[in-house]
């Protein structure tokens, strides 16, 4: 029987199942499992913060358990094969087949660059030189191009003229990513790294939005129009007709979720599990929590990343990971990998409201994360209302 209404607990379970967090961990994690996990999500957000672990590794850990991080990097950060990088949510790795679905975004960047007082319009000569340099020498990171240009105005992350130009050309699609070296993006001409059939594939703006909204709905299971728009950072005006078409086709079904003031859409293939017994540490950039209003609606979990907040004004910590147990976000932990001391530091640990926390499970999860990082032990700092109990559980574990 078609579902028209979902309780809030069922909506949570649907969302977690769609994200791959309701299935048992595989006995071993190889290429097939990694490709499947990333493909199911549709993208991995990239972030440079490495205080615990880089963000693109963490959603995979949450869904598959410990795995060889170098194998994932070989898949998603090496010269494009199955994956390529673009501004999909924020900077993100996407399946290479998704690249044509984002060309309308590249065209928009190009139109803005041509119409206004942009870097590209006022530095056409430098842009042409950058393209020629990469055409002649092949894929290069900004640091090597800047060295060749001898116009470097600071370190590559200081956005000198060369770095700025490469990023602008990357946004317009005149350059693409050819993976990363020591986490620095490598730039290439599209024809140097992408398959010829992909380069010639034209997808209209509306068709691209239909495909992106469908994938967002499949990845979320159930979501409001705003949830689905946020997944690939789409405009509401483009999402509305895509929702209409997908609903008419029976791919999506409009539903009401308990406590939500706006209508939601349920994907036709969404699972409706009776229970979810997940156990995971979630990255701040995990799709389960990256759209903060959705995290509040689904879990009652108010989350603000505090990396850029002065230390004295931080509430929960620097790099705080939500703790998923069952189908609830029950705690949050501020983690740091002290690689020199070979210790996983829990710099703060907090209960989430009055929800029960299985500290033994959390201690075991932290020990597993420490081992995955190549660290010898877990140390719990005395900060947060869960710290004393968690420290005892770690000591007993």
């Amino acid at each position: 029987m078609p579902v028209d209404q979902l309780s809030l607990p069922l909506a949570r379970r649907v969302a977690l199942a769609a994200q791959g967090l309701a299935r048992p961990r595989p006995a071993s994690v190889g290429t097939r499992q990694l490709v499947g996990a990333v493909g199911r999500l549709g993208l991995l957000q990239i972030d440079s913060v490495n205080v615990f672990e880089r963000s693109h590794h963490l959603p995979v850990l949450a869904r598959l358990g410990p795995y060889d991080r170098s194998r994932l990097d070989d898949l998603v950060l090496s010269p494009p094969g199955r994956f390529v990088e673009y501004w999909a949510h924020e900077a993100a790795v996407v399946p290479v087949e998704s690249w044509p679905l984002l060309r309308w975004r590249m065209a928009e960047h190009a139109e803005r660059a041509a119409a206004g007082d942009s870097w590209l319009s006022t530095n056409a000569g430098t842009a042409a030189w950058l393209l020629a340099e990469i055409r002649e020498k092949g894929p290069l990171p900004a640091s090597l191009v800047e060295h060749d240009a001898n116009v470097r105005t600071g370190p590559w992350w200081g956005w000198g003229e060369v770095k700025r130009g490469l990023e602008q050309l990357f946004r317009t699609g005149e350059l693409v990513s050819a993976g990363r070296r020591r986490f620095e993006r490598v730039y290439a001409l599209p024809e140097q790294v992408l398959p010829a059939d992909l380069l010639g594939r034209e997808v209209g703006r509306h068709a691209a939005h239909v495909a992106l909204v469908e994938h967002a709905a499949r990845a979320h299971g159930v979501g409001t129009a705003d949830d689905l728009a946020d997944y690939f950072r789409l405009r509401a005006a483009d999402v509305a007709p895509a929702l209409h078409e997908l609903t008419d086709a029976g791919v999506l079904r409009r539903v009401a979720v308990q406590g939500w003031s706006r209508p939601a859409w349920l994907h036709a293939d969404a699972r409706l599990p009776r229970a979810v017994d997940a156990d995971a540490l979630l990255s701040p950039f995990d799709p389960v929590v990256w759209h903060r209003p959705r995290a509040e609606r689904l879990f009652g979990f108010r989350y603000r990343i505090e990396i850029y907040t002065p230390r004295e004004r931080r509430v929960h910590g620097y790099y705080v990971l939500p703790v998923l147990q069952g189908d609830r976000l029950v705690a949050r932990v501020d983690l740091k990998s002290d690689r020199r001391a070979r210790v996983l530091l829990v710099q703060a640990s907090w209960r989430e409201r009055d929800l029960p926390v299985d500290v033994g499970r959390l201690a075991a999860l932290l020990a597993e994360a420490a081992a995955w990082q190549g660290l010898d032990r877990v140390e719990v700092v005395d900060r947060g209302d869960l710290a004393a109990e968690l420290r005892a559980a770690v000591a007993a574990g």
Side-chain angles (χ1 to χ4, degrees), residues 43 45 89 220 230-231 284-292:
L43 73 170
Q45 185 171 333
H89 179 76
H220 269 331
D230 179 76
Y231 207 84
F285 309 106
D286 192 292
V288 173
V289 295
W290 68 18
H291 188 42
R292 311 311 189 203

Side-chain angles (χ1 to χ4, degrees), residues 149-193:
N150 197 29
V151 295
R152 187 170 179 170
T153 59
W156 70 268
W157 55 84
W159 288 73
E161 288 301 294
V162 166
K163 174 65 176 177
R164 185 173 297 132
L166 291 169
E167 277 297 299
Q168 291 298 313
L169 292 166
F170 175 68
R171 286 179 181 269
T172 63
E174 294 175 82
L175 293 177
V176 299
S177 71
R180 289 183 174 235
R181 299 177 192 170
R182 294 183 295 278
F183 210 67
E184 183 182 3
R185 183 183 290 138
V186 178
Y187 301 88
L189 300 178
E191 60 269 24
Q192 290 173 331
V193 292

Side-chain angles (χ1 to χ4, degrees), residues 78-92:
S78 295
R82 289 186 173 98
F83 299 95
V84 68
E85 187 181 334
Y86 191 63
W87 291 91
H89 179 76
E90 294 290 333

